[in-house]
Amino acid sequence: ASCCSPGAWTCAILRCGGVHAMGSADWHWVNLPGGHIEECIADLCDIPRRSDWLADLDIEGAGLGRGCVVVQTNTTAAFHVSFSSVSTPSRDSDEPVLRFVVGKRRNSMTSVGLGNPYIKKEPVDFTKNPDALLTPDPEKSRTYWFLYDRAVGVAAMGTMTAPQADLCRLVCRFRDAVGFRAEACENLRYVSISSGRRPVSLRVVGVGAPPDVSIPRYRFDAVTWQALPWQGASVVFEPDEAHRQLFVRAQQLIARSPIAPFYGLVHPERICLNAYRLLDPHRRGELVEPGEDGESLDWDSCYEELHRRIEPAVLRSAPWTYWPLRFERADCTSVTLAPTGTGCAEAISEWATAVQRSSGLRNGATRRELLTLSFAFEVFPVEGENAAQVRRDLVREITAIFEKEWGVMEFRVPFLATWQTHTEYSPHASATADSTMPPQVRALAPAA
């Protein structure tokens, strides 16, 4: 099989006449006979700028260990997409190679692993999601994307032309105890496509830098593993120390699990029942009249105004606000509670109504979120049969702890919290007099 040298992009592309949807006559096809024939289609260090790619991938940022390819095909035969450190065929070589196989084992799975064939002939993970398999109808094509990003140690594949978290169908994170995986993928440079036993024909839709497929992408930097600034305000309850330690134990289970690199943890001192969510970065405008510029308000003024509104009806009654809550269910990131009886449920409903009436703002939390405490958050999608099984086992362990030891937690003394990131908050201490409130806010304030 012929393979491209650095910069020789078109050597593996067979061009066919015709006009595609964007009006260009330049189609990019790879037609391969059966017998594991491999064609190099891109050098990630030398990707030419093209105006006719259907996939909107940025070229800037592609390079060693960082690349993404999008292909479209109606083949019913398995095909391979590989990221390799050399441009020569990877089969039966000792060169580092990250390899995806779509339609493996009679189209029962799509897999990702190291080596060609895989080390010990086993993939790192695989998926049976129907979207990730070959099309069952040759009359209908499918579009797939494949990426590796050494900056975050993520290998992923998914569907459609725009890689993003909710379109991931298989994700591996090479930031675990098996350190050689990340090292082996550090210098991956070439992208190749190969056939299995039968011929395949694929259209290359785009090649470029790997997009960010993290979930909290505007609230958390997955490269530095640091929370990004995120401001807001809410009324929260905090658990007592005995119940807080249950969350610490759940976090320890996550930290010891194989899927730990997929999750970020909330600081134990900032685990809370975030019961009434008043403001977030997109809701400042709700404090002012329609047509007024809510973005012109500084956050300190917003916090002071919120405190002024809810202090008489909500904060003054905090010492005798009492919610006895029992455990209902858990997952890998949160615990959801439930009222111990109808009286408690009615008290919660009346309290939420009082907060809304005094603040003039709706609750940004859903009914379920109102009684949920988060102790972790998913940074990358847990997609893959092996990872999903680990998560199911982990949920069972976490659930067992809370079912056995939660009992009833008596939540009391809610307070106004101001958020600096999506996981860090501090109690608000009012320091500004009402007379300094922006006039457009003060005019809208509900009468106490």
Side-chain angles (χ1 to χ4, degrees):
S2 59
C3 290
C4 63
S5 57
W9 168 263
T10 59
C11 71
I13 303 296
L14 301 179
R15 302 187 176 185
C16 300
V19 179
H20 63 53
M22 294 186 66
S24 170
D26 193 6
W27 288 52
H28 311 282
W29 286 95
V30 177
N31 299 305
L32 300 172
H36 302 282
I37 301 301
E38 185 173 347
E39 293 280 6
C40 178
I41 63 167
D43 177 353
L44 296 175
C45 294
D46 187 16
I47 302 174
R49 295 185 180 276
R50 309 189 68 95
S51 61
D52 53 350
W53 292 128
L54 292 182
D56 186 19
L57 297 178
D58 190 5
I59 293 176
E60 298 299 328
L64 291 179
R66 301 195 74 242
C68 179
V69 60
V70 184
V71 301
Q72 184 181 43
T73 183
N74 64 346
T75 183
T76 57
F79 67 92
H80 306 214
V81 174
S82 300
F83 294 81
S84 177
S85 58
V86 295
S87 61
T88 53
S90 61
R91 188 168 178 80
D92 295 322
S93 73
D94 293 328
E95 297 295 338
V97 57
L98 174 71
R99 187 167 58 96
F100 296 87
V101 183
V102 178
K104 188 177 176 67
R105 296 178 184 171
R106 298 183 180 180
N107 201 28
S108 65
M109 60 188 284
T110 288
S111 61
V112 62
L114 298 175
N116 189 2
Y118 291 144
I119 296 173
K120 298 182 180 179
K121 297 187 177 181
E122 289 294 330
V124 174
D125 209 343
F126 64 98
T127 179
K128 295 183 177 181
N129 189 305
D131 289 348
L133 303 180
L134 299 168
T135 178
D137 183 357
E139 298 296 320
K140 297 180 181 179
S141 65
R142 285 189 171 178
T143 302
Y144 312 86
W145 52 263
F146 309 85
L147 67 81
Y148 182 72
D149 187 351
R150 73 176 186 178
V152 289
V154 166
M157 70 82 59
T159 58
M160 305 181 71
T161 60
Q164 57 193 52
D166 61 341
L167 297 178
C168 290
R169 296 297 178 262
L170 180 58
V171 181
C172 291
R173 188 114 206 275
F174 296 164
R175 291 287 172 87
D176 51 22
V178 191
F180 83 90
R181 292 174 176 173
E183 294 175 5
C185 298
E186 190 73 13
N187 295 309
L188 300 180
R189 174 172 177 172
Y190 300 94
V191 182
S192 65
I193 294 176
S194 59
S195 61
R197 296 177 181 176
R198 294 189 291 156
V200 295
S201 179
L202 303 94
R203 178 187 180 191
V204 180
V205 179
V207 180
D212 182 0
V213 294
S214 64
I215 297 172
R217 54 188 301 182
Y218 300 111
R219 294 175 292 155
F220 188 82
D221 187 332
V223 176
T224 63
W225 213 250
Q226 296 290 325
L228 298 172
W230 188 95
Q231 292 178 292
S234 58
V235 182
V236 307
F237 295 77
E238 292 185 333
D240 60 31
E241 186 58 29
H243 287 86
R244 190 186 304 277
Q245 288 305 310
L246 299 182
F247 292 105
V248 172
R249 288 167 61 185
Q251 290 179 327
Q252 291 170 344
L253 289 176
I254 294 175
R256 292 195 297 265
S257 77
I259 58 174
F262 289 82
Y263 292 94
L265 301 179
V266 178
H267 191 285
E269 295 298 320
R270 293 298 175 263
I271 296 172
C272 68
L273 189 67
N274 193 4
Y276 203 101
R277 304 177 192 185
L278 295 159
L279 289 181
D280 61 38
H282 304 292
R283 294 182 60 195
R284 271 187 292 178
E286 295 181 23
L287 278 175
V288 300
E289 293 180 348
E292 297 284 349
D293 183 14
E295 296 300 317
S296 65
L297 301 174
D298 65 88
W299 278 102
D300 286 340
S301 295
C302 293
Y303 299 151
E304 283 296 318
E305 174 60 12
L306 284 177
H307 184 275
R308 191 194 73 81
R309 292 185 185 188
I310 69 173
E311 194 274 337
V314 178
L315 300 184
R316 287 184 190 177
S317 65
W320 58 87
T321 300
Y322 173 74
W323 294 8
L325 301 177
R326 60 177 176 81
F327 172 75
E328 184 175 69
R329 59 181 175 272
D331 56 31
C332 283
T333 61
S334 63
V335 166
T336 300
L337 306 176
T340 52
T342 55
C344 177
E346 291 173 0
I348 292 172
S349 179
E350 289 298 322
W351 178 87
T353 299
V355 179
Q356 182 171 20
R357 185 182 300 117
S358 61
S359 68
L361 299 172
R362 62 181 173 81
N363 191 355
T366 64
R367 183 171 297 182
R368 177 183 176 184
E369 290 171 338
L370 188 151
L371 297 179
T372 294
L373 296 92
S374 296
F375 55 88
F377 53 96
E378 198 172 338
V379 179
F380 292 100
V382 179
E383 294 287 346
E385 295 295 321
N386 293 339
Q389 183 58 55
V390 172
R391 179 172 57 186
R392 286 191 289 270
D393 294 340
L394 193 56
V395 169
R396 281 195 289 269
E397 291 184 75
I398 293 172
T399 298
I401 290 175
F402 283 88
E403 283 183 335
K404 180 180 179 181
E405 301 187 38
W406 181 267
V408 173
M409 164 71 203
E410 298 176 327
F411 287 90
R412 296 180 60 248
V413 195
F415 59 88
L416 178 63
T418 59
W419 296 80
Q420 294 79 51
T421 71
H422 75 291
T423 59
E424 290 287 336
Y425 67 85
S426 57
H428 176 67
S430 180
T432 308
D434 177 68
S435 60
T436 66
M437 289 296 97
Q440 72 268 36
V441 174
R442 191 164 59 247
L444 270 185

